[in-house]
Amino acid sequence: MKNKAFISIYVLIILSIISISLSFIYRQSLNNQDLNEDIYNKKKIIYKLESLNNIALSNDERLTEFLEQINEKKASRQKFSYKIDYMGEEEKLLISKISDNNFLMEKDISYKKVRAESKVFLELYDKYQLYNEDKIILNDKFDEFFKNLKFKEYEFKEYEKLVLDRDLDSKIKVTNELIIKNDRKNSIVEAKSSENNDNKSLDDFNDKSKTACKISGILIIDGNLILEKDLEINGLLIISGDIKSINDCNLSLNGQIIAKNDFDIDYNYDKSRSYDFIKDIYNPKILKVKSKEVY
């Protein structure tokens, strides 16, 4: 009897252990299932946040325009809704201005037991870095800059070709070639107006005989500048071609130059003759992602 009783107790202990083990395994299985579901849901909403960011950043022109509008407002940290289409539904990203030209685009999503956040720090900067005291050499960006070159305020006298032996105080565009003539007596001063095809004399040029020819104002040349005598420019020179010197003639510039290639000239930065002109050049903004995190 004692042996039977001992066996019964032993069986009960084993059954209790098995029951506890099965219960633990079952609860652990449920916990693992919940954990796996949470991980899956977390990945799901992180994927959605990444997709929303990519959609917003893919249309950088629209986003840049939206940021420029915010930039004009004085209120910092105020959140503005930026609407995008996501799989046929409207989603909103919140954008706030941190400082001038710096922004935060954010979004958070809660789903069941999980939550994820997205933060994208953005910056607007000028496409063409024009505001500096050194010569502005745009290299591979120059052709695009020159093609889209426009001033907000100034009106220019436009000429196809200009041969010049006198001083000039004006704002001009030359679409072909500018020649600074050496011999004033034998030179021919001619220009073709953009308004008509008739050649006309430049009667409004200052008739001053000096060693160096002087041009003051803004000079835009879509071609070459040929120096048959020294030239002094007081202002802004924008040139797409070369500067060619005959008999070692020199160019001295007091102001600023914007060119595709660097030239060996007598250069002296003058803010009053450069910055005041440059600030009126159309210079679009470019969008830059400084950092991005989704967690």
Side-chain angles (χ1 to χ4, degrees), residues 57 63-73 75-80 94-106 119-125 285-292:
L57 296 173
L63 182 55
T64 298
E65 183 179 353
F66 188 81
L67 295 180
E68 286 183 309
Q69 293 174 359
I70 296 177
N71 209 28
E72 295 174 358
K73 302 180 184 297
S76 297
R77 300 293 180 178
Q78 180 180 347
K79 295 185 178 182
F80 300 87
L94 297 179
I95 299 179
S96 56
K97 178 180 176 180
I98 300 174
S99 61
D100 287 346
N101 297 320
N102 288 276
F103 308 86
L104 169 63
M105 182 172 69
E106 56 187 331
K119 294 183 183 294
V120 182
F121 291 90
L122 305 168
E123 179 185 8
L124 288 180
Y125 65 96
K285 296 288 186 180
I286 295 296
L287 179 64
K288 177 182 179 182
V289 179
K290 298 179 68 176
S291 66
K292 181 173 64 172

Side-chain angles (χ1 to χ4, degrees), residues 237-251:
L237 170 63
I238 303 175
I239 181 169
S240 67
D242 293 327
I243 299 176
K244 300 182 178 181
S245 174
I246 298 177
N247 297 326
D248 296 323
C249 293
N250 297 319
L251 170 64

Side-chain angles (χ1 to χ4, degrees), residues 132-135 251-253 255-257 265-269:
N132 59 66
E133 298 184 7
D134 296 329
K135 290 182 287 186
L251 170 64
S252 59
L253 174 64
Q256 183 59 274
I257 180 174
I265 62 175
D266 183 9
Y267 172 76
N268 177 47
Y269 173 75

Side-chain angles (χ1 to χ4, degrees), residues 21 24-25 28 46 54 56 96 99 113 120 178 198 213 227:
S21 299
F24 173 80
I25 293 171
Q28 190 64 32
I46 285 178
N54 291 336
S96 56
S99 61
K113 299 179 182 180
V120 182
L178 172 60
D198 298 330
C213 186
L227 303 176

Side-chain angles (χ1 to χ4, degrees), residues 99-152:
S99 61
D100 287 346
N101 297 320
N102 288 276
F103 308 86
L104 169 63
M105 182 172 69
E106 56 187 331
K107 175 78 171 178
D108 66 84
I109 299 177
S110 296
Y111 180 69
K112 292 185 177 181
K113 299 179 182 180
V114 296
R115 181 175 179 270
E117 297 182 33
S118 168
K119 294 183 183 294
V120 182
F121 291 90
L122 305 168
E123 179 185 8
L124 288 180
Y125 65 96
D126 292 330
K127 185 170 187 178
Y128 309 110
Q129 301 301 308
L130 304 180
Y131 304 99
N132 59 66
E133 298 184 7
D134 296 329
K135 290 182 287 186
I136 300 172
I137 311 301
L138 296 180
N139 298 318
D140 57 337
K141 293 183 179 179
F142 182 85
D143 291 339
E144 180 187 22
F145 165 78
F146 197 87
K147 179 181 178 181
N148 298 310
L149 179 63
K150 63 181 72 171
F151 283 78
K152 298 176 183 177

